[in-house]
Amino acid sequence: MTLWEKMKASPVLGGKEGVISLAVLAAVIFVVLPLGVDIFRLNLIGKYLTYAFVAVGLVMLWGHGGILSLGQGIFFGLGGYAMAMFLKLEASDPLSTKIQSTPGIPDFMDWNQLTALPWFWEPFKSLPFTIFAVLTIPALFAYIIGYAMFKRRVGGVYFSIITQAVALILSILIIGQQGYTGGVNGMTDLRTLLGWDIRTDSAKYILYFVNGLLLFGAIFLSKYIMSSKFGMLLLAMRDKEERVRFSGYDVSNFKIFIFCLAAMMSAVGGAMFTLQVGFMSPSFVGIVPSIEMVIFCAVGGRASLVGAVYGTLLVNYGKTVFSETYPEMWLFLMGGLFIAVVMFFPSGLAGIWDKYATKYGWFKDKAASAKKPEVSTSKVEAQAVLTETLAETTLATDSTGVATNKATRKKADTTSAIESNKLRGAEA
């Protein structure tokens, strides 16, 4: 079997159509855009792609798990701030900060009259620890929130409002602790990574491609999870949560895991954002950016991983074009775009493909099955998993019932025999 045949047969990649969609996306990100735009625009697109990490995580969390989080900016910001702390410490060496009253600490700490580096900043002098913190701190925070909510069966709109409130609390906390976080201005003037100047054009090219590779890694990981039994149960939880619970599964643990995974993906996007843009501020942590991230996912199609990336690019490109061309009314234009998508394309860009591609001959077969590996087929398989589990439970119940009936009949026969013996004794 050739490599192409193996790829087409792979359930992880979604068959032939899944391979083609990933190949087209790879061509757009790694070939068309680098060759078609200048370095300024490419760096801007790289920033857009960091948001795509959040959108991909939301496809798993919201599209397949049915859990709408309006606080993904929390984890995007935590990952971004962790990387910014490392970069800021590197930029705050004693030689560069010799004009400060306390050299060797970040400038905003000196402005707020701190005389020593806080203890929780010390580990961020190490890049390995920083990478570890980017992945674990947001996941740990998500675990705490998820455990507190899902173990108490808090879900739906209540969970969405709570995550929104947490995002607001964290942004206020960051702004209020100006001496430790940089306040409303955030952490700026981030120049080097282990002595490598990240502001040069060559560095921007490298970071763009690294960002693209990490994004594809997140997509492949998500596809692998979706094609596994866990992915089937995730879909079943979204559609029939009580049935999954009555089948013997601990639904809360599944929800906590997928929430933590989406948080880690968002944090990686935040760290890459800091590297490519060169700063991090609380404006990317609060309610507004969190809701915008949900919009990225909705525009692309909340059930499509590839669609989420296209949706992120489209919305952010629209923001840039409208704000540059129509600075006084660009917010109204963006609002009109969102309303149009909700009214006419409720399934996003992926839904447009499903709805209209079948009208054309060459795309007919491809369009008919493009979404099935991720949604329809998965839904059927999830139903099959539940049916199988219920059948086993029923069988076990039936077997127990049969055994009980046999024991009851045996006891009744024994009782009848004793009564008969008593009667015979009385007659004698």
Side-chain angles (χ1 to χ4, degrees), residues 196-272:
W196 177 49
D197 194 342
I198 58 176
R199 300 170 297 176
T200 63
D201 290 349
S202 60
K204 291 177 180 178
Y205 272 113
I206 293 172
L207 289 172
Y208 172 83
F209 284 106
V210 170
N211 187 35
L213 290 172
L214 289 174
L215 178 60
F216 266 82
I219 292 174
F220 286 133
L221 176 61
S222 300
K223 280 185 170 288
Y224 175 78
I225 292 174
M226 286 161 49
S227 64
S228 66
K229 185 178 179 180
F230 175 78
M232 306 305 106
L233 286 169
L234 203 60
L235 281 173
M237 279 167 30
R238 182 192 67 185
D239 298 330
K240 299 286 183 181
E241 180 177 329
E242 292 303 320
R243 189 173 179 183
V244 176
R245 183 177 286 111
F246 293 151
S247 299
Y249 293 101
D250 190 342
V251 172
S252 60
N253 287 338
F254 294 142
K255 288 185 174 183
I256 292 170
F257 174 79
I258 200 65
F259 187 47
C260 292
L261 180 64
M264 290 178 68
M265 289 184 180
S266 301
V268 173
M272 292 306 301

Side-chain angles (χ1 to χ4, degrees), residues 22 25 29 48-65 72 214-223 225-226 234 258 261-266 293-294 296-298 301-312 374:
L22 288 172
L25 180 63
I29 292 177
Y48 302 161
L49 290 177
T50 61
Y51 299 139
F53 285 90
V54 187
V56 169
L58 280 169
V59 169
M60 296 290 296
L61 182 65
W62 179 35
H64 289 260
Q72 291 304 100
L214 289 174
L215 178 60
F216 266 82
I219 292 174
F220 286 133
L221 176 61
S222 300
K223 280 185 170 288
I225 292 174
M226 286 161 49
L234 203 60
I258 200 65
L261 180 64
M264 290 178 68
M265 289 184 180
S266 301
M293 291 165 184
V294 174
F296 301 157
C297 178
R302 65 172 186 162
S304 173
L305 295 168
V306 174
V309 179
Y310 286 122
T312 304
E374 290 188 7

